[in-house]
Amino acid sequence: MVRSYFIAAAVAALGLAATDAAFAQETVKIGFILPMTGQQQSTGKQEAAGIKLYMAQHGDTVAGKKIELIIRDDAAVPDNTKRIAQELIVNDKVSFLAGFGVTPAALSVAPLSSESKTPEIVTAAGTSIITEKSPYIARTSFTLAQSTVPMADWAADNGIKKVVTMISDYAPGVDAEKSFTAEFKKKGGDVIESIRFPLANPDFAPFLQRAADEKPDAIFVFVPSGQGGTFVKQFVERGLDKAGIKIIGPGDVMDDDLINGMGDAVIGTVTAHIYSADHNSPLNKEFVAAFEKANNGMRPNFMAVGGYDGMHLIYEALKKAGGKTDGDSLIEAIKGMSWESPRGPISIDPQTRDIVQNIYIRKVEKKNGQLYNVEFATFPAVKDPVKAAEQK
Ligand code: PHB
């Protein structure tokens, strides 16, 4: 009697524990840390819209689990990013950390990702080194070298001989400057001056004057998403376009989010990038239409696509891991994954966990009264050149 009572109680307790565990496992939390305020807020706005569109299209249940999306604002200040990441790991017990509008924010989380074995999905930042800072980091954004090397090749092959480089003085800008200069010189081009300006609230005018005085064929520029409008305005105000100086660079400066406000002076500008809202594929047309509909006509830029693809990566990792939610199973599932994005075919390099993607050369044109980056040449399946050189 007594014995069977104990057995019954034990079985009941086990049953309860099992239900508890099942219940706990039923929700998977995904913590995105994004700059929703401050200088990089356009990145946060675009990323969040991309993430929410993915969920609206694909539902909030994956591999039998309910997805809970948490979006926290770090204003692109790395101390905030780190504190929020700690809270998300310890209090919320997220299965993924994702987002990061700038490189210093992504880097600040890398040690936490390693220690806690939490996958860190970088959907916006672009410095090559980020993915090397934790074995649990994967990226759906881009690297600066990825678009810059094709840009240097195109410029050298198309009559541009003398270039001044102008970059925001922080890690992705330095990556862009270094990779452009090395490739352009290798192809016989000349970099006559290298100018760096501060990331925060830059006044480009004095730097543009210095560049103009050198009478280059082109200015190679990197500014982070959100700053291109001001750069172009000051470029035109100082008459550099009339002086016949071209703008070239990674497409961050010709951001889809801002390009319509830049005016006809940018028509003909050639840049190299991972995404244009004008990308000609049925999937992208569907994506742009759905995005604009859900966001009061806002056009998606490359950050929106980084967020959208980040969610795809997370959903597919959960499915591939067959219900497991530990960091090791998830990061294994991510390695080598490939799919069609609104930007074209992409994959995650199984060795480096970095993104492999097409780089498109595009020219600004007016279509139906709107300015677009129209793609006209493709460098297929480009790996991050910095890591590709290390792998050799
Ligand atoms: C970065 O901080 O890594 C970053 C931010 C915005 C960009 C590109 C790179 O457009």
Side-chain angles (χ1 to χ4, degrees), residues 256 259-260 263-264 266-268 276-281 284-285 292 299 362-376:
D256 266 303
I259 193 170
N260 258 325
D264 290 357
V266 295
I267 290 175
S276 165
D278 187 60
H279 179 68
N280 192 8
S281 74
N284 184 52
K285 287 195 189 337
E292 291 184 344
R299 192 194 287 186
R362 323 87 54 80
K363 184 187 264 174
V364 179
E365 287 178 21
K366 203 169 230 178
K367 280 185 156 184
N368 305 322
Q370 300 217 16
L371 296 172
Y372 280 98
N373 294 295
V374 177
E375 295 167 348
F376 65 88

Side-chain angles (χ1 to χ4, degrees), residues 101-103 124-127 142 144 170 172 222-225 252 302-303:
V102 290
T103 290
T127 302
F142 50 84
L144 269 305
Y170 78 123
F222 166 75
V223 287
S225 184
D252 310 56
F302 61 109
M303 293 298 188

